[in-house]
Amino acid sequence: MEIGIVGLPASGKTTVFNALTGSEAEVSAFKGGKKDPNLAVVQVPDQRLEKLSAMYNPKKTTPAQVRYVDIGGSLSAHDAKESSIDELLRLLRPVDALVNVVRNFEFAGEQPTPQDDFDALESELVFSDLMTVEKRVEKLEKEITKAKKGNPKELELLQKAKEILDGGKALRAFPEIATDPLLRGYAFLSAKPCIVVLNSHDNAEPGAVRLELPDGVIMIELKGRLEMELSQLSDEEAELFREDMGLQESATSILIRKSYEFLGLISFFTVGPDEVKAWTIRRNTPAPRAAGVIHSDIEKGFIRAEVVSYEHLIGAGSHTAAQKAGNVRLEGKNYIVQDGDVINFRFNV
Ligand SMILES: Nc1nc2c(ncn2[C@@H]2O[C@H](COP(=O)(O)OP(=O)(O)O)[C@@H](O)[C@H]2O)c(=O)[nH]1
Ligand SMILES: [Mg+2]
């Protein structure tokens, strides 16, 4: 899973990035500071993986990962050159979801305006998609009328998208457009699931700010700077501080947990003496496609999946015991992989 962090200048993108990833990327005290993107990989906390690892005692234990990209610069055409916007878009196209950081702290004497900030960024996403659509529609119309090539169905979908975007709306609320395979290649930003991070000052009363958000957007409140400071302490120290401040879970785990839920992601496991590993897939993924996450050869040569649920395996104490109890199943290509499945794929190459 890959998450792109976006937001207005000085909303705290890099601060939140540091909080989430334990990085120490440079935050800036003025608007329009450092512009280079920051990238980091974070392990998804999962107690099941630890239990499986204790059972198999493998050489290597590999948690599922989330990649975070803090894109740095602004998407707004007002304060960025087209070339730098293209560069940002290139970084954002592949991400599975956007985290939109909204300022809820005083900055350089300016009071926070979270609703306005959210609306402004939402328009940037819509505007960026509109630019893409307009260019493409123009080209496709020419191709279709003059050269008799190009897909009229694609044009029709793009024209619908243009209408929605012209009306100032994000594409994510229109799944028939946002998820159509013909448009997937455009990776429209406003079609991506969006998680708003309300980046609150240290003393903020949780829940005090309510935002009006469009469909398909959820909000998580974080104290970015505080969480960043905590992320730079040792686990034990951070735990003590958390208890003191009445914070239960780290920002990282809250965001990862919520984004998993929100994006409809689940984990399955592969186990063995060499490696115990967690893999991320979307809910409702059939077994061969899940196998493809491990390697495309396993998907192509898929024969069967040998499946036992995490609960059955741990309950039985070993794979052999689970098998004796009749809880290891052989599943075919239509099997829908479930959260916590422990799978051994059988395949031909
Ligand atoms: N009080 C407070 N200040 C913050 C918070 N997050 C960021 N800042 C400050 O806002 C400024 C910009 O932060 P930065 O992370 O560089 O924002 P970016 O431009 O969006 O990447 C810095 O001076 C930060 O210290 C926060 O949660 N609380
Ligand atoms: Mg920054």
Side-chain angles (χ1 to χ4, degrees):
M1 172 166 65
E2 197 168 53
I3 291 186
I5 301 177
V6 296
L8 298 184
S11 54
K13 295 180 292 298
T14 304
T15 302
V16 167
F17 171 84
N18 285 344
L20 294 172
T21 63
S23 311
E24 298 187 13
E26 192 188 332
V27 300
S28 61
F30 54 95
K31 278 190 186 172
K34 182 175 175 289
K35 290 275 162 69
D36 290 339
N38 299 305
L39 303 164
V41 172
V42 169
Q43 303 184 336
V44 177
D46 189 338
Q47 290 179 346
R48 297 172 300 180
L49 189 76
E50 289 162 31
K51 285 251 176 80
L52 289 171
S53 183
M55 178 182 269
Y56 282 86
N57 212 0
K59 291 195 194 102
K60 200 172 151 196
T61 301
T62 313
Q65 295 185 331
V66 185
R67 279 167 52 88
Y68 286 98
V69 189
D70 163 21
I71 61 158
S74 164
L75 284 168
S76 159
H78 301 295
D79 42 30
K81 287 205 291 281
E82 193 166 345
S83 60
S84 69
I85 291 182
D86 284 348
E87 173 62 17
L88 298 182
L89 291 178
R90 193 182 59 73
L91 287 165
L92 283 180
R93 294 279 180 231
V95 306
D96 300 298
L98 297 176
V99 156
N100 175 355
V101 179
V102 169
R103 181 168 64 90
N104 187 31
F105 56 88
E106 198 181 309
F107 179 77
E110 282 177 32
Q111 290 305 310
T113 50
Q115 182 73 51
D116 290 352
D117 291 6
F118 172 80
D119 294 343
L121 197 90
E122 184 82 341
S123 335
E124 284 184 17
L125 299 179
V126 165
F127 186 72
S128 146
D129 286 350
L130 190 59
M131 292 292 99
T132 312
V133 167
E134 280 179 347
K135 272 188 219 156
R136 185 63 191 148
V137 163
E138 202 178 307
K139 210 164 147 225
L140 207 54
E141 271 171 350
K142 272 190 202 137
E143 278 180 12
I144 290 171
T145 50
K146 295 222 176 81
K148 303 275 180 243
K149 58 172 195 181
N151 185 344
K153 178 81 184 112
E154 183 182 337
L155 180 60
E156 195 187 306
L157 283 167
L158 284 170
Q159 278 160 338
K160 271 195 204 139
K162 184 171 177 297
E163 227 170 89
I164 295 166
L165 295 164
D166 267 331
K169 289 217 165 75
L171 296 173
R172 68 178 93 77
F174 303 83
E176 71 283 3
I177 302 284
T179 64
D180 194 289
L182 277 176
L183 299 189
R184 198 172 293 150
Y186 297 106
F188 292 123
L189 298 183
S190 78
K192 291 182 188 292
C194 174
I195 301 167
V196 173
V197 162
L198 184 70
N199 184 19
S200 293
H201 58 91
D202 300 5
N203 308 317
E205 180 80 31
V209 173
R210 294 190 183 263
L211 298 185
E212 246 175 73
L213 300 171
D215 285 350
V217 178
I218 57 166
M219 184 176 103
I220 295 173
E221 194 167 345
L222 288 186
K223 295 183 171 172
R225 196 170 65 181
L226 195 64
E227 290 286 351
M228 178 177 94
E229 283 161 5
L230 291 181
S231 77
Q232 285 156 1
L233 300 177
S234 73
D235 287 355
E236 294 76 29
E237 281 175 308
E239 194 59 39
L240 285 177
F241 271 97
R242 256 177 232 297
E243 270 169 28
D244 261 10
M245 292 180 298
L247 299 168
Q248 273 137 22
E249 214 181 341
S250 77
T252 326
S253 12
I254 293 175
L255 190 83
I256 290 178
R257 199 164 42 74
K258 292 246 179 150
S259 45
Y260 248 61
E261 250 171 55
F262 178 60
L263 297 174
L265 299 173
I266 58 172
S267 301
F268 73 88
F269 305 100
T270 52
V271 294
D274 287 331
E275 189 177 21
V276 167
K277 181 162 179 169
W279 304 86
T280 304
I281 52 170
R282 289 191 187 279
R283 211 173 272 290
N284 293 322
T285 300
R289 194 131 45 83
V293 174
I294 303 176
H295 199 289
S296 55
D297 284 349
I298 313 183
E299 177 169 4
K300 274 186 227 133
F302 178 89
I303 303 172
R304 284 213 178 323
E306 202 182 80
V307 183
V308 54
S309 73
Y310 166 81
E311 279 78 18
H312 279 141
L313 179 56
I314 293 292
S318 76
H319 202 270
T320 321
Q323 205 147 23
K324 279 208 185 108
N327 287 324
V328 179
R329 298 161 277 137
L330 274 183
E331 301 282 5
K333 64 176 175 11
N334 295 325
Y335 176 68
I336 300 295
V337 173
Q338 304 295 309
D339 187 40
D341 276 353
V342 178
I343 307 184
N344 177 25
F345 289 105
R346 300 189 186 169
F347 63 105
N348 263 326
V349 268

